[in-house]
Amino acid sequence: MSRVFNFSAGPAVLPEAVLQRAREEMLDWQGTGMSVMEMSHRGKAFMSIAAKAEADLRELMAIPADYSVLFLQGGASSQFAMVPINLLRGKKSADYINTGAWSKKAIAEAKRYGQVNVAATAEANNFTSVPAQSGWKLDSNAAYVHYTPNETIGGVEFPFLPDTGSVPLVADMSSSILSRPIDVSKFGLIYAGAQKNIGPAGLTVVIIRKDLIGQPIDGMPVMFDYAIHDKEGSMYNTPPTYGWYLAGLVFEWLKEIGGLKGMAAINKRKADKLYAAIDGSDFYANPVDPTCRSWMNVPFTLANPELDKTFLAEAEKVGLTTLKGHRSVGGMRASIYNAMPEAGIDTLVSFMADFEKRNG
Ligand SMILES: *Cc1c(COP(=O)(O)O)cnc(C)c1O
């Protein structure tokens, strides 16, 4: 067996220890004689797996008791709709901050259900930084303020936590959840597709302040009502059981490496090393304002784009895969989520130096 260093933006690398444990438990989960995939979601065994995962996530993120944690399907893209459907609560409009590709998708979807006030946009600088909050045109009557703390494609991350007063703050944390400690009590709702920092694709985690639940727009599908999922413990219908289980294993792994504080220290070290390698050479470049650079997704370009293909092919040969940039941006992108080992960064950085020596 040989494992590569996989820099995919998502679905992405999972901790090897988690995959090993899943393999050990694959055919017979703890004496039940069956795989977690084969279990009834209402049986004692799966109920214990589900409860443990939720308890561990609550502990890791210090989620207050007045918040519900939901384990849903439909990806972050379904949340682009569920958020306005449930959180408009009779109000006319919601505020959105536009920092790039994923913000734009959230905005487009919200417009189907209400008015959107784009309170700030980074369009003028081609989404290479985050607009300072002093310039935001927030509406005090807005139903909520939505933002994308980490733009996965642009590699732009908020260096601050927005202050929206009594207006609920909503965050699409798909590509940055669990990468560092955050104060959940500052948010009305947090959502994340699992396939970047939580587990396999197919699971979506929603953390919602309980008072925001229960006033969806009339006539919407029952599956798009947070209240149903909250009331039924995310088991109104069959939940994504195997994804939920694997997420639980990832939470246990995070607790073992020192929780989110421990993870943050590792992530900072990893990102610093890679950005230092990029900034330390005229051969590589990253366009993002240094104060807004993502810890999770690091886009970079070569001075001569004609070398892109060679770079990717040679990287692949030494076990560094999926470094091709998003089709809308070009160049390279190294996604270095929680599960990317530091050795992956070290190998990439030395490959980059070597490639520059031979081609610079
Ligand atoms: C990947 C991603 C999405 C899309 O998630 P799906 O689960 O595929 O719907 C949305 N927002 C952000 C920030 C992402 O990184």
Side-chain angles (χ1 to χ4, degrees), residues 74-78 80 102 148 150-152 172 174-175 193 195-196 204:
S77 299
S78 290
F80 293 165
W102 289 113
T148 312
N150 184 67
E151 283 283 358
T152 321
D172 173 2
S174 294
S175 53
Q195 66 273 21
K196 281 111 187 196
T204 312

Side-chain angles (χ1 to χ4, degrees), residues 149-172:
N150 184 67
E151 283 283 358
T152 321
I153 294 173
V156 174
E157 186 162 6
F158 274 69
F160 61 90
L161 199 134
D163 178 4
T164 56
S166 60
V167 179
L169 179 62
V170 176
D172 173 2

Side-chain angles (χ1 to χ4, degrees), residues 24-311:
E24 282 157 24
E25 296 179 339
M26 175 66 77
L27 295 182
D28 176 9
W29 185 82
Q30 300 192 6
T32 55
M34 62 176 90
S35 160
V36 174
M37 272 181 267
E38 304 167 299
M39 286 175 185
S40 163
H41 55 294
R42 303 193 192 278
K44 223 167 78 188
F46 187 76
M47 293 293 264
S48 74
I49 290 169
K52 171 86 164 50
E54 178 176 338
D56 283 345
L57 180 61
R58 283 184 176 276
E59 183 184 329
L60 279 168
M61 293 182 72
I63 300 172
D66 60 330
Y67 284 71
S68 289
V69 179
L70 309 178
F71 292 82
L72 308 179
Q73 307 197 36
S77 299
S78 290
Q79 295 309 309
F80 293 165
M82 275 182 93
V83 164
I85 285 172
N86 289 271
L87 263 51
L88 278 169
R89 292 167 299 137
K91 298 220 179 199
K92 265 222 232 31
S93 74
D95 287 347
Y96 276 71
I97 311 303
N98 182 7
T99 49
W102 289 113
S103 304
K104 285 189 212 172
K105 284 208 161 171
I107 289 168
E109 188 68 18
K111 281 182 175 165
R112 298 159 62 93
Y113 303 99
Q115 285 174 27
V116 168
N117 168 44
V118 178
T121 173
E123 202 148 13
N125 59 36
N126 202 21
F127 300 108
T128 53
S129 70
V130 166
Q133 178 155 1
S134 55
W136 295 11
K137 302 217 159 38
L138 293 175
D139 169 6
S140 56
N141 283 317
Y144 59 88
V145 180
H146 179 283
Y147 82 120
T148 312
N150 184 67
E151 283 283 358
T152 321
I153 294 173
V156 174
E157 186 162 6
F158 274 69
F160 61 90
L161 199 134
D163 178 4
T164 56
S166 60
V167 179
L169 179 62
V170 176
D172 173 2
M173 257 180 223
S174 294
S175 53
S176 55
I177 193 166
L178 300 172
S179 64
R180 64 175 89 192
I182 53 153
D183 182 353
V184 174
S185 75
K186 297 280 195 285
F187 295 84
L189 189 153
I190 292 166
Y191 64 90
Q195 66 273 21
K196 281 111 187 196
N197 248 352
I198 298 177
L203 168 72
T204 312
V205 170
V206 174
I207 302 164
I208 180 172
R209 214 175 63 211
K210 287 181 198 273
D211 64 291
L212 297 172
I213 298 175
Q215 300 169 64
I217 295 171
D218 277 347
M220 292 295 149
V222 68
M223 282 295 287
F224 273 41
D225 181 355
Y226 290 129
I228 284 284
H229 298 294
D230 181 40
K231 186 166 152 264
E232 303 291 338
S234 303
M235 297 198 193
Y236 167 70
N237 71 327
T238 315
T241 50
Y242 200 74
W244 195 333
Y245 155 74
L246 264 188
L249 296 187
V250 170
F251 302 153
E252 283 184 31
W253 173 79
L254 276 168
K255 281 171 62 175
E256 272 162 30
I257 61 173
L260 299 194
K261 257 200 188 149
M263 193 69 252
I266 297 168
N267 284 334
K268 178 166 185 340
R269 211 159 52 224
K270 278 159 42 183
D272 282 351
K273 263 188 207 170
L274 184 49
Y275 286 115
I278 293 167
D279 290 345
S281 110
D282 295 328
F283 191 79
Y284 302 104
N286 167 288
V288 179
D289 177 338
T291 65
C292 307
R293 283 174 166 178
S294 170
W295 280 8
M296 296 284 107
N297 311 97
V298 183
F300 62 93
T301 52
L302 310 192
N304 175 6
E306 278 170 20
L307 289 171
D308 283 6
K309 273 207 174 111
T310 320
F311 181 93

